[in-house]
Amino acid sequence: MKQAMINFVDKVDSAVSRMNISFYDERSSVIVVLFHGLFEDSRQITSNHVDPQQRIVVAHFRIFVEYFLNNDYIFISSKDILEGLDENKKYVVVTFDDGYYNNNVSLP
């Protein structure tokens, strides 16, 4: 039952995200994406060593990064925002809010 609910929420989230993107022009935007933690693979999620608030594995994170790079987004930091951005470009800020050690798998 729990997995069915997770699958349902994932499908609704995906549909709402696609609909939201269709309403807005992505030019000159800054998208901020928050992650809680990353896992090397699904086996780490099921080991329950860390509460998987998000079930994101490195392969999913790689797809996320590649999507934005392939669609002409530039990954930036908060410092870049303070220094000013070109209003004709698209930007992404990635944050990890909980400071879990497993976020280090995003570095490579």
Side-chain angles (χ1 to χ4, degrees):
M1 178 65 170
K2 183 178 178 181
Q3 188 59 45
M5 182 58 93
I6 290 170
N7 291 341
F8 173 75
V9 170
D10 285 346
K11 288 179 182 178
V12 170
D13 181 57
S14 179
V16 169
S17 296
R18 282 191 307 273
M19 185 174 63
N20 188 39
I21 288 173
S22 71
F23 287 118
Y24 297 101
D25 185 2
E26 290 186 46
R27 287 179 291 137
S28 66
S29 63
V30 176
I31 297 174
V32 180
V33 182
L34 166 74
F35 290 93
H36 289 285
L38 294 177
F39 297 90
E40 289 179 4
D41 55 42
S42 59
R43 290 176 306 179
Q44 280 192 328
I45 295 171
T46 59
S47 71
N48 291 322
H49 289 136
V50 176
D51 180 27
Q53 295 173 347
Q54 297 173 330
R55 299 176 181 277
I56 307 296
V57 297
V58 172
H60 297 142
F61 187 72
R62 185 171 287 115
I63 291 168
F64 160 82
V65 169
E66 288 173 355
Y67 169 83
F68 285 103
L69 290 175
N70 290 335
N71 287 281
D72 301 321
Y73 282 83
I74 301 167
F75 284 85
I76 60 170
S77 69
S78 54
K79 179 183 173 196
D80 296 320
I81 295 171
L82 294 174
E83 292 176 355
L85 301 172
D86 182 337
E87 63 183 43
N88 296 311
K89 295 185 179 177
K90 304 182 292 188
Y91 303 96
V92 178
V93 176
V94 176
T95 66
F96 294 90
D97 77 279
D98 291 324
Y100 290 133
Y101 180 77
N102 65 350
N103 293 334
N104 286 327
V105 300
S106 69
L107 296 175

